[in-house]
Amino acid sequence: MKKFEGKTVLVTGAGRGIGRAVAVAFAREGANVVINFAGREESAKETVALCEAEGAKAICVKADVSKEEDCKKLLEETHAAFGEVSVLVNNAGITRDKLLIGLTEEDFMSVLEVNLKGTYLCTKLAVKDMMKKRSGRIINLSSVVGVHGNAGQSNYAASKAGVIGFTKSVAKEFASRGITVNAVAPGMIETDMTDAIPEAMHEAMLNQIPLKRIGTPEDIANGVLFLASDEASYITGQVITIDGGLMG
Ligand code: NAP
């Protein structure tokens, strides 16, 4: 019996990067996977195909997690395909990196809207399914930047610190219903998001990682699957750092 056989797992922003690795890892363990994406449909369809290649059922749904109507539609399509959500992974995220002096209100708010408000909206909707069943798992993607800060990322850091506060609060609210809520804080992971970092800075960051390699999306997926597993049933309100030792 696979670990997540028959369970419905909703992963936001799963068309590529970390979300894709999370979706495929759940598929490998027998879950029915819902792959949310924002705009890149071809990429999301590739994730569906990768999940199906693992023998799982999967669909992709276009929805902007910062919009309530889109999130409602995302949940409706999830219910229609696979029934109630057992595991929600709030992974969708964006960056708009700039030093504060050049950071516009739009730069600031757009990152907050997707990374933090998106997490709030999806959690509020999916947790209703979990309350009915008196069980569920919610895993939110934060970042080491949300704990330690980073020059040029005040908007992103604020959103990811917000995700930690949100995680810890919601964990307390739903613990009595058998629902756990945790966060994962990745360090530097090889995805489109980090591709934009200039080569010299990339090299400098690599030198600071004790394990001497950039993380892979699969490194993060392993942590997410653990938090969603039965083995993690006594863990809630926590932030697990997966960064190769970067932040010590
Ligand atoms: P990525 O490669 O840039 O992929 C981002 C995903 O989010 C894409 O599937 C994208 O959809 C989706 N997305 C963006 N805006 C969205 C919206 N408004 N609604 C729904 N989906 C949306 O990012 P990643 O590196 O895999 O990062 C995944 C998560 O890990 C993010 O929360 C990020 O902050 C966090 N994280 C990443 C790193 C890292 O080093 N990569 C480090 C720490 C934390 P489309 O494909 O349709 O555009």
Side-chain angles (χ1 to χ4, degrees), residues 75-103:
L75 265 292
E76 278 164 19
E77 293 196 25
T78 299
H79 291 157
F82 302 133
E84 288 164 355
V85 178
S86 295
V87 179
L88 169 68
V89 183
N90 283 306
N91 167 82
I94 59 166
T95 51
R96 288 271 186 97
D97 298 352
K98 275 177 201 165
L99 293 171
L100 180 68
I101 225 75
L103 196 72

Side-chain angles (χ1 to χ4, degrees), residues 13 16 18 38-40 63-65 91 142 156 160 187 189 191 194:
R16 52 199 165 99
I18 292 169
R40 299 194 193 189
D64 178 345
V65 295
N91 167 82
S142 179
Y156 183 74
K160 294 299 185 180
I189 310 300
T191 68
T194 46

Side-chain angles (χ1 to χ4, degrees), residues 7-55:
K7 298 229 168 153
T8 300
V9 177
L10 169 55
V11 188
T12 67
R16 52 199 165 99
I18 292 169
R20 170 182 282 181
V22 169
V24 173
F26 274 113
R28 194 169 297 135
E29 289 297 339
N32 299 324
V33 189
V34 178
I35 293 142
N36 157 250
F37 67 99
R40 299 194 193 189
E41 188 163 10
E42 280 315 305
S43 191
K45 283 183 174 165
E46 276 173 35
T47 308
V48 170
L50 289 168
C51 291
E52 288 173 345
E54 298 290 346

